[in-house]
mmCIF file of all heavy atoms in Angstrom:
data_model
loop_
_atom_site.group_PDB
_atom_site.id
_atom_site.type_symbol
_atom_site.label_atom_id
_atom_site.label_comp_id
_atom_site.label_asym_id
_atom_site.label_seq_id
_atom_site.Cartn_x
_atom_site.Cartn_y
_atom_site.Cartn_z
ATOM 1 N N TYR A 350 69.323 61.242 68.104
ATOM 2 C CA TYR A 350 69.277 62.689 67.891
ATOM 3 C C TYR A 350 68.229 63.328 68.789
ATOM 4 O O TYR A 350 67.197 62.728 69.100
ATOM 5 C CB TYR A 350 68.901 63.010 66.436
ATOM 6 C CG TYR A 350 70.000 62.769 65.439
ATOM 7 C CD1 TYR A 350 70.159 61.521 64.844
ATOM 8 C CD2 TYR A 350 70.890 63.781 65.076
ATOM 9 C CE1 TYR A 350 71.163 61.292 63.929
ATOM 10 C CE2 TYR A 350 71.893 63.562 64.161
ATOM 11 C CZ TYR A 350 72.028 62.311 63.591
ATOM 12 O OH TYR A 350 73.029 62.085 62.687
ATOM 13 N N VAL A 351 68.501 64.554 69.185
ATOM 14 C CA VAL A 351 67.480 65.435 69.758
ATOM 15 C C VAL A 351 67.106 66.440 68.679
ATOM 16 O O VAL A 351 67.981 67.121 68.120
ATOM 17 C CB VAL A 351 67.989 66.157 71.019
ATOM 18 C CG1 VAL A 351 66.984 67.224 71.463
ATOM 19 C CG2 VAL A 351 68.225 65.160 72.145
ATOM 20 N N ILE A 352 65.819 66.502 68.359
ATOM 21 C CA ILE A 352 65.306 67.420 67.340
ATOM 22 C C ILE A 352 64.543 68.526 68.038
ATOM 23 O O ILE A 352 63.606 68.271 68.798
ATOM 24 C CB ILE A 352 64.366 66.692 66.352
ATOM 25 C CG1 ILE A 352 64.987 65.388 65.868
ATOM 26 C CG2 ILE A 352 64.017 67.617 65.207
ATOM 27 C CD1 ILE A 352 66.270 65.535 65.111
ATOM 28 N N HIS A 353 64.941 69.766 67.782
ATOM 29 C CA HIS A 353 64.278 70.916 68.409
ATOM 30 C C HIS A 353 63.577 71.745 67.331
ATOM 31 O O HIS A 353 64.147 72.019 66.270
ATOM 32 C CB HIS A 353 65.288 71.792 69.146
ATOM 33 C CG HIS A 353 64.650 72.905 69.925
ATOM 34 N ND1 HIS A 353 64.103 72.714 71.176
ATOM 35 C CD2 HIS A 353 64.466 74.212 69.633
ATOM 36 C CE1 HIS A 353 63.604 73.857 71.616
ATOM 37 N NE2 HIS A 353 63.817 74.787 70.694
ATOM 38 N N SER A 354 62.337 72.119 67.617
ATOM 39 C CA SER A 354 61.596 72.983 66.683
ATOM 40 C C SER A 354 61.223 74.283 67.378
ATOM 41 O O SER A 354 60.883 74.302 68.559
ATOM 42 C CB SER A 354 60.336 72.286 66.166
ATOM 43 O OG SER A 354 59.385 72.123 67.194
ATOM 44 N N THR A 355 61.288 75.371 66.622
ATOM 45 C CA THR A 355 60.958 76.695 67.145
ATOM 46 C C THR A 355 59.834 77.305 66.316
ATOM 47 O O THR A 355 59.920 77.354 65.085
ATOM 48 C CB THR A 355 62.180 77.626 67.102
ATOM 49 O OG1 THR A 355 63.230 77.050 67.892
ATOM 50 C CG2 THR A 355 61.832 79.000 67.660
ATOM 51 N N GLY A 356 58.767 77.740 67.005
ATOM 52 C CA GLY A 356 57.648 78.385 66.336
ATOM 53 C C GLY A 356 57.351 79.722 66.994
ATOM 54 O O GLY A 356 58.270 80.392 67.486
ATOM 55 N N THR A 357 56.079 80.100 67.012
ATOM 56 C CA THR A 357 55.657 81.338 67.686
ATOM 57 C C THR A 357 54.462 81.027 68.565
ATOM 58 O O THR A 357 53.618 80.190 68.237
ATOM 59 C CB THR A 357 55.290 82.431 66.675
ATOM 60 O OG1 THR A 357 54.322 81.916 65.745
ATOM 61 C CG2 THR A 357 56.519 82.911 65.923
ATOM 62 N N SER A 358 54.373 81.720 69.685
ATOM 63 C CA SER A 358 53.343 81.449 70.676
ATOM 64 C C SER A 358 52.179 82.424 70.564
ATOM 65 O O SER A 358 52.368 83.602 70.212
ATOM 66 C CB SER A 358 53.958 81.519 72.081
ATOM 67 O OG SER A 358 52.992 81.225 73.057
ATOM 68 N N GLY A 359 51.002 81.932 70.844
ATOM 69 C CA GLY A 359 49.821 82.784 70.844
ATOM 70 C C GLY A 359 48.599 82.009 71.307
ATOM 71 O O GLY A 359 48.677 80.817 71.624
ATOM 72 N N HIS A 360 47.432 82.685 71.318
ATOM 73 C CA HIS A 360 46.203 82.057 71.787
ATOM 74 C C HIS A 360 45.748 80.986 70.790
ATOM 75 O O HIS A 360 45.747 81.197 69.570
ATOM 76 C CB HIS A 360 45.108 83.109 71.962
ATOM 77 C CG HIS A 360 43.998 82.650 72.858
ATOM 78 N ND1 HIS A 360 43.055 81.737 72.454
ATOM 79 C CD2 HIS A 360 43.697 82.991 74.134
ATOM 80 C CE1 HIS A 360 42.208 81.512 73.446
ATOM 81 N NE2 HIS A 360 42.573 82.277 74.493
ATOM 82 N N SER A 361 45.327 79.819 71.336
ATOM 83 C CA SER A 361 44.974 78.700 70.475
ATOM 84 C C SER A 361 43.681 78.914 69.696
ATOM 85 O O SER A 361 43.359 78.125 68.808
ATOM 86 C CB SER A 361 44.863 77.412 71.299
ATOM 87 O OG SER A 361 43.846 77.523 72.282
ATOM 88 N N SER A 362 42.956 79.996 69.999
ATOM 89 C CA SER A 362 41.732 80.281 69.232
ATOM 90 C C SER A 362 42.059 80.858 67.857
ATOM 91 O O SER A 362 41.183 80.962 66.994
ATOM 92 C CB SER A 362 40.846 81.259 70.008
ATOM 93 O OG SER A 362 41.490 82.519 70.165
ATOM 94 N N ARG A 363 43.316 81.249 67.642
ATOM 95 C CA ARG A 363 43.727 81.838 66.365
ATOM 96 C C ARG A 363 44.987 81.144 65.828
ATOM 97 O O ARG A 363 46.043 81.737 65.685
ATOM 98 C CB ARG A 363 43.987 83.339 66.526
ATOM 99 C CG ARG A 363 42.706 84.132 66.816
ATOM 100 C CD ARG A 363 43.016 85.564 67.222
ATOM 101 N NE ARG A 363 41.802 86.359 67.292
ATOM 102 C CZ ARG A 363 40.927 86.320 68.298
ATOM 103 N NH1 ARG A 363 41.148 85.485 69.317
ATOM 104 N NH2 ARG A 363 39.833 87.070 68.279
ATOM 105 N N PRO A 364 44.873 79.835 65.530
ATOM 106 C CA PRO A 364 46.059 79.080 65.108
ATOM 107 C C PRO A 364 46.655 79.566 63.792
ATOM 108 O O PRO A 364 47.833 79.309 63.524
ATOM 109 C CB PRO A 364 45.513 77.652 64.980
ATOM 110 C CG PRO A 364 44.052 77.812 64.755
ATOM 111 C CD PRO A 364 43.653 79.007 65.556
ATOM 112 N N TRP A 365 45.846 80.259 62.966
ATOM 113 C CA TRP A 365 46.368 80.736 61.681
ATOM 114 C C TRP A 365 47.379 81.864 61.819
ATOM 115 O O TRP A 365 48.098 82.176 60.874
ATOM 116 C CB TRP A 365 45.196 81.190 60.786
ATOM 117 C CG TRP A 365 44.383 82.293 61.384
ATOM 118 C CD1 TRP A 365 44.597 83.636 61.256
ATOM 119 C CD2 TRP A 365 43.218 82.168 62.199
ATOM 120 N NE1 TRP A 365 43.664 84.370 61.939
ATOM 121 C CE2 TRP A 365 42.782 83.474 62.528
ATOM 122 C CE3 TRP A 365 42.492 81.081 62.689
ATOM 123 C CZ2 TRP A 365 41.658 83.728 63.317
ATOM 124 C CZ3 TRP A 365 41.369 81.330 63.465
ATOM 125 C CH2 TRP A 365 40.973 82.637 63.771
ATOM 126 N N LEU A 366 47.446 82.457 63.027
ATOM 127 C CA LEU A 366 48.349 83.587 63.231
ATOM 128 C C LEU A 366 49.749 83.175 63.680
ATOM 129 O O LEU A 366 50.667 83.997 63.664
ATOM 130 C CB LEU A 366 47.760 84.542 64.277
ATOM 131 C CG LEU A 366 46.473 85.264 63.904
ATOM 132 C CD1 LEU A 366 45.999 86.124 65.070
ATOM 133 C CD2 LEU A 366 46.687 86.120 62.655
ATOM 134 N N TYR A 367 49.885 81.922 64.075
ATOM 135 C CA TYR A 367 51.139 81.521 64.726
ATOM 136 C C TYR A 367 51.686 80.218 64.126
ATOM 137 O O TYR A 367 50.954 79.457 63.482
ATOM 138 C CB TYR A 367 50.917 81.335 66.236
ATOM 139 C CG TYR A 367 50.226 82.531 66.860
ATOM 140 C CD1 TYR A 367 48.852 82.502 67.115
ATOM 141 C CD2 TYR A 367 50.940 83.685 67.155
ATOM 142 C CE1 TYR A 367 48.211 83.594 67.677
ATOM 143 C CE2 TYR A 367 50.310 84.790 67.710
ATOM 144 C CZ TYR A 367 48.944 84.742 67.964
ATOM 145 O OH TYR A 367 48.317 85.836 68.503
ATOM 146 N N CYS A 368 52.962 79.970 64.376
ATOM 147 C CA CYS A 368 53.605 78.724 63.939
ATOM 148 C C CYS A 368 53.671 77.764 65.125
ATOM 149 O O CYS A 368 54.394 78.017 66.098
ATOM 150 C CB CYS A 368 55.018 79.007 63.414
ATOM 151 S SG CYS A 368 55.938 77.505 63.000
ATOM 152 N N ASN A 369 52.900 76.704 65.049
ATOM 153 C CA ASN A 369 52.835 75.716 66.133
ATOM 154 C C ASN A 369 54.075 74.815 66.085
ATOM 155 O O ASN A 369 54.270 74.034 65.142
ATOM 156 C CB ASN A 369 51.567 74.876 65.973
ATOM 157 C CG ASN A 369 51.318 73.962 67.159
ATOM 158 O OD1 ASN A 369 52.216 73.290 67.629
ATOM 159 N ND2 ASN A 369 50.071 73.942 67.626
ATOM 160 N N ALA A 370 54.918 74.918 67.113
ATOM 161 C CA ALA A 370 56.186 74.185 67.115
ATOM 162 C C ALA A 370 55.977 72.670 67.140
ATOM 163 O O ALA A 370 56.773 71.918 66.573
ATOM 164 C CB ALA A 370 57.033 74.613 68.310
ATOM 165 N N ILE A 371 54.895 72.221 67.784
ATOM 166 C CA ILE A 371 54.628 70.778 67.826
ATOM 167 C C ILE A 371 54.255 70.271 66.439
ATOM 168 O O ILE A 371 54.738 69.225 65.984
ATOM 169 C CB ILE A 371 53.528 70.445 68.851
ATOM 170 C CG1 ILE A 371 54.024 70.710 70.278
ATOM 171 C CG2 ILE A 371 53.079 68.994 68.713
ATOM 172 C CD1 ILE A 371 52.986 70.465 71.358
ATOM 173 N N LYS A 372 53.379 71.027 65.736
ATOM 174 C CA LYS A 372 52.990 70.620 64.388
ATOM 175 C C LYS A 372 54.188 70.629 63.437
ATOM 176 O O LYS A 372 54.343 69.739 62.602
ATOM 177 C CB LYS A 372 51.886 71.531 63.860
ATOM 178 C CG LYS A 372 50.551 71.357 64.562
ATOM 179 C CD LYS A 372 49.507 72.295 64.006
ATOM 180 C CE LYS A 372 49.162 71.973 62.557
ATOM 181 N NZ LYS A 372 48.078 72.838 62.051
ATOM 182 N N LEU A 373 55.055 71.619 63.601
ATOM 183 C CA LEU A 373 56.266 71.688 62.782
ATOM 184 C C LEU A 373 57.144 70.468 63.040
ATOM 185 O O LEU A 373 57.645 69.830 62.103
ATOM 186 C CB LEU A 373 57.035 72.972 63.097
ATOM 187 C CG LEU A 373 58.426 73.114 62.457
ATOM 188 C CD1 LEU A 373 58.330 73.121 60.943
ATOM 189 C CD2 LEU A 373 59.122 74.380 62.974
ATOM 190 N N LEU A 374 57.313 70.154 64.305
ATOM 191 C CA LEU A 374 58.125 69.003 64.673
ATOM 192 C C LEU A 374 57.544 67.716 64.094
ATOM 193 O O LEU A 374 58.274 66.878 63.546
ATOM 194 C CB LEU A 374 58.221 68.910 66.198
ATOM 195 C CG LEU A 374 59.015 67.726 66.769
ATOM 196 C CD1 LEU A 374 60.474 67.801 66.352
ATOM 197 C CD2 LEU A 374 58.898 67.698 68.296
ATOM 198 N N MET A 375 56.233 67.550 64.194
ATOM 199 C CA MET A 375 55.595 66.332 63.701
ATOM 200 C C MET A 375 55.723 66.206 62.184
ATOM 201 O O MET A 375 55.907 65.100 61.662
ATOM 202 C CB MET A 375 54.125 66.297 64.119
ATOM 203 C CG MET A 375 53.910 66.191 65.629
ATOM 204 S SD MET A 375 54.751 64.771 66.353
ATOM 205 C CE MET A 375 53.929 63.429 65.511
ATOM 206 N N ARG A 376 55.620 67.338 61.472
ATOM 207 C CA ARG A 376 55.787 67.284 60.019
ATOM 208 C C ARG A 376 57.188 66.807 59.650
ATOM 209 O O ARG A 376 57.365 65.995 58.740
ATOM 210 C CB ARG A 376 55.507 68.651 59.393
ATOM 211 C CG ARG A 376 54.033 69.018 59.336
ATOM 212 C CD ARG A 376 53.782 70.153 58.356
ATOM 213 N NE ARG A 376 54.452 71.381 58.736
ATOM 214 C CZ ARG A 376 53.915 72.320 59.521
ATOM 215 N NH1 ARG A 376 52.686 72.150 60.011
ATOM 216 N NH2 ARG A 376 54.575 73.428 59.803
ATOM 217 N N TYR A 377 58.180 67.332 60.367
ATOM 218 C CA TYR A 377 59.556 66.916 60.099
ATOM 219 C C TYR A 377 59.747 65.433 60.408
ATOM 220 O O TYR A 377 60.334 64.687 59.601
ATOM 221 C CB TYR A 377 60.541 67.756 60.923
ATOM 222 C CG TYR A 377 61.938 67.187 60.898
ATOM 223 C CD1 TYR A 377 62.736 67.317 59.771
ATOM 224 C CD2 TYR A 377 62.450 66.480 61.993
ATOM 225 C CE1 TYR A 377 64.014 66.775 59.731
ATOM 226 C CE2 TYR A 377 63.721 65.942 61.958
ATOM 227 C CZ TYR A 377 64.502 66.090 60.822
ATOM 228 O OH TYR A 377 65.750 65.542 60.778
ATOM 229 N N LEU A 378 59.258 64.983 61.564
ATOM 230 C CA LEU A 378 59.441 63.583 61.958
ATOM 231 C C LEU A 378 58.743 62.641 60.981
ATOM 232 O O LEU A 378 59.276 61.580 60.634
ATOM 233 C CB LEU A 378 58.914 63.365 63.381
ATOM 234 C CG LEU A 378 59.672 64.077 64.505
ATOM 235 C CD1 LEU A 378 58.986 63.826 65.838
ATOM 236 C CD2 LEU A 378 61.122 63.630 64.563
ATOM 237 N N THR A 379 57.560 63.033 60.527
ATOM 238 C CA THR A 379 56.835 62.207 59.560
ATOM 239 C C THR A 379 57.593 62.107 58.251
ATOM 240 O O THR A 379 57.692 61.036 57.641
ATOM 241 C CB THR A 379 55.431 62.773 59.319
ATOM 242 O OG1 THR A 379 54.709 62.797 60.562
ATOM 243 C CG2 THR A 379 54.659 61.927 58.320
ATOM 244 N N ASP A 380 58.152 63.219 57.813
ATOM 245 C CA ASP A 380 58.931 63.252 56.581
ATOM 246 C C ASP A 380 60.161 62.360 56.714
ATOM 247 O O ASP A 380 60.467 61.540 55.830
ATOM 248 C CB ASP A 380 59.331 64.691 56.271
ATOM 249 C CG ASP A 380 59.943 64.859 54.879
ATOM 250 O OD1 ASP A 380 60.210 63.853 54.206
ATOM 251 O OD2 ASP A 380 60.165 66.017 54.472
ATOM 252 N N LEU A 381 60.877 62.497 57.840
ATOM 253 C CA LEU A 381 62.088 61.706 58.042
ATOM 254 C C LEU A 381 61.756 60.218 58.135
ATOM 255 O O LEU A 381 62.441 59.376 57.530
ATOM 256 C CB LEU A 381 62.809 62.171 59.308
ATOM 257 C CG LEU A 381 64.157 61.502 59.603
ATOM 258 C CD1 LEU A 381 65.150 61.728 58.477
ATOM 259 C CD2 LEU A 381 64.722 62.018 60.928
ATOM 260 N N GLU A 382 60.699 59.879 58.848
ATOM 261 C CA GLU A 382 60.321 58.471 59.005
ATOM 262 C C GLU A 382 59.974 57.826 57.669
ATOM 263 O O GLU A 382 60.207 56.625 57.462
ATOM 264 C CB GLU A 382 59.149 58.342 59.975
ATOM 265 C CG GLU A 382 58.768 56.899 60.268
ATOM 266 C CD GLU A 382 57.630 56.796 61.258
ATOM 267 O OE1 GLU A 382 56.824 57.744 61.337
ATOM 268 O OE2 GLU A 382 57.528 55.752 61.934
ATOM 269 N N SER A 383 59.442 58.632 56.746
ATOM 270 C CA SER A 383 59.055 58.091 55.436
ATOM 271 C C SER A 383 60.260 57.597 54.638
ATOM 272 O O SER A 383 60.100 56.858 53.660
ATOM 273 C CB SER A 383 58.294 59.155 54.635
ATOM 274 O OG SER A 383 59.168 60.194 54.212
ATOM 275 N N ARG A 384 61.473 57.996 55.047
ATOM 276 C CA ARG A 384 62.691 57.550 54.360
ATOM 277 C C ARG A 384 63.159 56.176 54.862
ATOM 278 O O ARG A 384 64.145 55.652 54.358
ATOM 279 C CB ARG A 384 63.820 58.571 54.558
ATOM 280 C CG ARG A 384 63.428 60.060 54.471
ATOM 281 C CD ARG A 384 62.861 60.416 53.122
ATOM 282 N NE ARG A 384 62.337 61.780 53.098
ATOM 283 C CZ ARG A 384 62.984 62.816 52.597
ATOM 284 N NH1 ARG A 384 64.194 62.654 52.090
ATOM 285 N NH2 ARG A 384 62.413 64.017 52.591
ATOM 286 N N PHE A 385 62.452 55.622 55.848
ATOM 287 C CA PHE A 385 62.804 54.335 56.430
ATOM 288 C C PHE A 385 61.728 53.307 56.109
ATOM 289 O O PHE A 385 60.588 53.669 55.817
ATOM 290 C CB PHE A 385 62.968 54.465 57.951
ATOM 291 C CG PHE A 385 64.207 55.212 58.364
ATOM 292 C CD1 PHE A 385 64.240 56.601 58.326
ATOM 293 C CD2 PHE A 385 65.337 54.529 58.784
ATOM 294 C CE1 PHE A 385 65.382 57.298 58.689
ATOM 295 C CE2 PHE A 385 66.484 55.219 59.149
ATOM 296 C CZ PHE A 385 66.508 56.594 59.097
ATOM 297 N N PRO A 386 62.070 52.013 56.155
ATOM 298 C CA PRO A 386 61.066 50.979 55.883
ATOM 299 C C PRO A 386 59.859 51.100 56.807
ATOM 300 O O PRO A 386 59.999 51.413 57.993
ATOM 301 C CB PRO A 386 61.832 49.671 56.139
ATOM 302 C CG PRO A 386 63.261 50.017 55.889
ATOM 303 C CD PRO A 386 63.414 51.440 56.371
ATOM 304 N N ASP A 387 58.683 50.854 56.262
ATOM 305 C CA ASP A 387 57.430 50.916 57.010
ATOM 306 C C ASP A 387 57.234 49.590 57.743
ATOM 307 O O ASP A 387 57.052 48.546 57.123
ATOM 308 C CB ASP A 387 56.273 51.165 56.045
ATOM 309 C CG ASP A 387 54.944 51.352 56.762
ATOM 310 O OD1 ASP A 387 54.876 51.096 57.981
ATOM 311 O OD2 ASP A 387 53.969 51.749 56.093
ATOM 312 N N GLU A 388 57.283 49.633 59.083
ATOM 313 C CA GLU A 388 57.147 48.400 59.858
ATOM 314 C C GLU A 388 55.788 47.730 59.622
ATOM 315 O O GLU A 388 55.672 46.505 59.704
ATOM 316 C CB GLU A 388 57.331 48.688 61.349
ATOM 317 C CG GLU A 388 58.745 49.082 61.743
ATOM 318 C CD GLU A 388 59.765 47.957 61.568
ATOM 319 O OE1 GLU A 388 59.368 46.803 61.336
ATOM 320 O OE2 GLU A 388 60.976 48.249 61.649
ATOM 321 N N ASP A 389 54.759 48.513 59.341
ATOM 322 C CA ASP A 389 53.434 47.928 59.101
ATOM 323 C C ASP A 389 53.404 47.099 57.825
ATOM 324 O O ASP A 389 52.544 46.223 57.661
ATOM 325 C CB ASP A 389 52.375 49.027 59.015
ATOM 326 C CG ASP A 389 52.164 49.733 60.343
ATOM 327 O OD1 ASP A 389 52.445 49.108 61.383
ATOM 328 O OD2 ASP A 389 51.733 50.901 60.338
ATOM 329 N N GLN A 390 54.341 47.377 56.930
ATOM 330 C CA GLN A 390 54.394 46.651 55.660
ATOM 331 C C GLN A 390 55.507 45.606 55.629
ATOM 332 O O GLN A 390 55.663 44.907 54.631
ATOM 333 C CB GLN A 390 54.610 47.643 54.502
ATOM 334 C CG GLN A 390 53.577 48.753 54.415
ATOM 335 C CD GLN A 390 52.181 48.208 54.141
ATOM 336 O OE1 GLN A 390 52.019 47.269 53.372
ATOM 337 N NE2 GLN A 390 51.180 48.808 54.777
ATOM 338 N N CYS A 391 56.265 45.489 56.723
ATOM 339 C CA CYS A 391 57.426 44.590 56.738
ATOM 340 C C CYS A 391 56.973 43.129 56.767
ATOM 341 O O CYS A 391 56.116 42.746 57.580
ATOM 342 C CB CYS A 391 58.301 44.886 57.952
ATOM 343 S SG CYS A 391 59.741 43.808 58.079
ATOM 344 N N ILE A 392 57.559 42.316 55.896
ATOM 345 C CA ILE A 392 57.240 40.889 55.866
ATOM 346 C C ILE A 392 58.421 40.041 56.349
ATOM 347 O O ILE A 392 58.362 38.809 56.307
ATOM 348 C CB ILE A 392 56.828 40.445 54.441
ATOM 349 C CG1 ILE A 392 57.962 40.717 53.440
ATOM 350 C CG2 ILE A 392 55.539 41.134 54.015
ATOM 351 C CD1 ILE A 392 57.688 40.172 52.053
ATOM 352 N N ASP A 393 59.496 40.692 56.787
ATOM 353 C CA ASP A 393 60.666 39.992 57.312
ATOM 354 C C ASP A 393 60.483 39.779 58.808
ATOM 355 O O ASP A 393 60.494 40.744 59.585
ATOM 356 C CB ASP A 393 61.931 40.811 57.045
ATOM 357 C CG ASP A 393 63.186 40.159 57.627
ATOM 358 O OD1 ASP A 393 63.097 39.027 58.126
ATOM 359 O OD2 ASP A 393 64.257 40.801 57.580
ATOM 360 N N PRO A 394 60.322 38.539 59.276
ATOM 361 C CA PRO A 394 60.105 38.309 60.716
ATOM 362 C C PRO A 394 61.284 38.728 61.575
ATOM 363 O O PRO A 394 61.118 38.978 62.775
ATOM 364 C CB PRO A 394 59.858 36.795 60.798
ATOM 365 C CG PRO A 394 60.505 36.228 59.577
ATOM 366 C CD PRO A 394 60.343 37.274 58.522
ATOM 367 N N ASP A 395 62.466 38.809 60.980
ATOM 368 C CA ASP A 395 63.653 39.217 61.733
ATOM 369 C C ASP A 395 63.937 40.715 61.607
ATOM 370 O O ASP A 395 64.864 41.224 62.226
ATOM 371 C CB ASP A 395 64.874 38.428 61.258
ATOM 372 C CG ASP A 395 64.762 36.944 61.572
ATOM 373 O OD1 ASP A 395 64.223 36.615 62.641
ATOM 374 O OD2 ASP A 395 65.200 36.128 60.751
ATOM 375 N N HIS A 396 63.174 41.410 60.773
ATOM 376 C CA HIS A 396 63.295 42.866 60.607
ATOM 377 C C HIS A 396 64.749 43.278 60.375
ATOM 378 O O HIS A 396 65.279 44.180 61.036
ATOM 379 C CB HIS A 396 62.710 43.596 61.819
ATOM 380 C CG HIS A 396 61.247 43.336 61.996
ATOM 381 N ND1 HIS A 396 60.277 44.110 61.419
ATOM 382 C CD2 HIS A 396 60.586 42.355 62.660
ATOM 383 C CE1 HIS A 396 59.080 43.631 61.728
ATOM 384 N NE2 HIS A 396 59.246 42.566 62.468
ATOM 385 N N GLN A 397 65.370 42.632 59.418
ATOM 386 C CA GLN A 397 66.759 42.933 59.076
ATOM 387 C C GLN A 397 66.808 44.130 58.126
ATOM 388 O O GLN A 397 67.136 44.019 56.940
ATOM 389 C CB GLN A 397 67.425 41.713 58.465
ATOM 390 C CG GLN A 397 67.488 40.515 59.408
ATOM 391 C CD GLN A 397 68.324 40.800 60.657
ATOM 392 O OE1 GLN A 397 69.533 41.004 60.574
ATOM 393 N NE2 GLN A 397 67.682 40.829 61.809
ATOM 394 N N HIS A 398 66.466 45.280 58.671
ATOM 395 C CA HIS A 398 66.480 46.524 57.918
ATOM 396 C C HIS A 398 66.702 47.673 58.894
ATOM 397 O O HIS A 398 66.616 47.500 60.114
ATOM 398 C CB HIS A 398 65.167 46.718 57.151
ATOM 399 C CG HIS A 398 63.940 46.627 58.020
ATOM 400 N ND1 HIS A 398 63.576 47.624 58.905
ATOM 401 C CD2 HIS A 398 62.996 45.657 58.145
ATOM 402 C CE1 HIS A 398 62.464 47.282 59.539
ATOM 403 N NE2 HIS A 398 62.093 46.093 59.100
ATOM 404 N N ASP A 399 66.991 48.864 58.359
ATOM 405 C CA ASP A 399 67.114 50.049 59.208
ATOM 406 C C ASP A 399 65.769 50.333 59.878
ATOM 407 O O ASP A 399 64.704 50.075 59.304
ATOM 408 C CB ASP A 399 67.528 51.265 58.374
ATOM 409 C CG ASP A 399 68.923 51.130 57.780
ATOM 410 O OD1 ASP A 399 69.647 50.205 58.178
ATOM 411 O OD2 ASP A 399 69.265 51.953 56.913
#
Side-chain angles (χ1 to χ4, degrees):
Y350 286 88
V351 171
I352 313 298
H353 186 81
S354 68
T355 301
T357 53
S358 182
H360 200 285
S361 61
S362 64
R363 292 170 171 78
W365 60 89
L366 294 178
Y367 309 100
C368 175
N369 188 314
I371 292 178
K372 291 179 66 176
L373 172 62
L374 178 63
M375 294 305 298
R376 285 197 297 270
Y377 168 75
L378 294 177
T379 300
D380 190 352
L381 184 60
E382 184 179 26
S383 71
R384 319 299 173 100
F385 288 79
D387 185 350
E388 291 294 349
D389 293 335
Q390 304 297 321
C391 179
I392 59 174
D393 177 6
D395 294 323
H396 298 270
Q397 298 297 294
H398 54 73
D399 294 349

